[in-house]
Amino acid sequence: MTPKELKAQLRAERLAARDAIPTDLRAAKSLDMAAHAGDTIAFAPDTIISGFLPIRSEADLQPLMARWRGRGARLCVPAIIDKQTIVFRELVHGVALIGTGFGTVGPGEDAAILDPEIMLVPLSAFDPRGHRIGYGAGHYDRAIDRLRQKGLSPKLIGIAFDCQEVAEVPAEPHDISLDAILTESGLRHFTSRIG
């Protein structure tokens, strides 16, 4: 089996496991994530943090993002521009949300486009080394690469439930590793960049 085929298999299995979590339990697990990371991740006021609004069975990061907004963070969420590109539009409290591609919602085109310093990264699966499997479109890998080409180095925190962990992700050269993973069990560091 090729790495691409193995990733597809792991993606399908781990997303099925995530989908099987009952809605009320998923909400409770999302609140656990906010409790684990709401005050423990260090950042200065006005730090730009990208989150995401949940689609399908993803964790709901809105409680965590609200806590970080209260600590002075500037929040943004992804908007899909085309099959290759996502940008991060500023999420201002009370702004109207529209469809932004791939089933996501977020601010409209008039919102400021920001370069995140901390990124909460959605994923299908992750392993104990900090490798991740995304949803297969490569949007985040390309977005992170574009930020790095600008000389930026965002801190990458994967967002998943415990059931999405696998023994090993077949890492390919284009894959970007996480600095940490946040699940309902807590924040696990892979590098010293997240404090």
Side-chain angles (χ1 to χ4, degrees):
M1 190 178 292
T2 68
K4 184 175 182 176
E5 291 168 335
L6 182 53
K7 281 184 177 180
Q9 177 183 330
L10 292 170
R11 178 183 299 116
E13 290 172 357
R14 295 302 89 212
L15 288 178
R18 188 181 78 185
D19 291 345
I21 301 171
T23 304
D24 59 338
L25 184 55
R26 201 164 47 242
K29 290 174 184 280
S30 296
L31 290 173
D32 289 342
M33 290 179 184
H36 291 306
D39 297 323
T40 58
I41 294 177
F43 59 84
D46 291 324
T47 296
I48 299 170
I49 301 177
S50 70
F52 54 88
L53 301 174
I55 59 172
R56 300 186 302 257
S57 58
E58 288 178 337
D60 184 354
L61 296 179
Q62 293 174 93
L64 176 59
M65 293 191 315
R67 285 178 75 165
W68 286 353
R69 176 181 279 123
R71 289 177 53 200
R74 287 182 72 189
L75 301 175
C76 54
V77 293
I80 298 175
I81 303 303
D82 57 43
K83 289 185 178 184
Q84 298 293 312
T85 311
I86 59 173
V87 296
F88 297 91
R89 293 180 181 160
E90 186 165 19
L91 183 64
V92 177
H93 185 67
V95 70
L97 303 178
I98 64 166
T100 53
F102 206 63
T104 63
V105 296
E109 293 180 5
D110 56 338
I113 294 177
L114 304 177
D115 290 333
E117 298 165 75
I118 298 173
M119 297 176 74
L120 303 181
V121 183
L123 52 88
S124 299
F126 69 95
D127 72 16
R129 299 173 301 151
H131 295 126
R132 68 179 272 276
I133 299 174
Y135 292 144
H139 284 117
Y140 271 84
D141 288 330
R142 286 189 298 277
I144 294 163
D145 186 56
R146 279 192 303 279
L147 290 169
R148 288 178 175 173
Q149 287 178 24
K150 290 170 127 179
L152 304 173
S153 182
K155 297 174 183 177
L156 307 176
I157 303 172
I159 302 296
F161 295 112
D162 290 334
C163 67
Q164 293 173 255
E165 185 168 2
V166 297
E168 184 177 356
V169 167
E172 297 180 271
H174 65 273
D175 290 333
I176 296 171
S177 295
L178 300 167
D179 294 301
I181 187 82
L182 176 62
T183 72
E184 70 269 27
S185 294
L187 181 68
R188 189 182 330 167
H189 299 262
F190 302 118
T191 71
S192 60
R193 297 183 68 221
I194 302 292

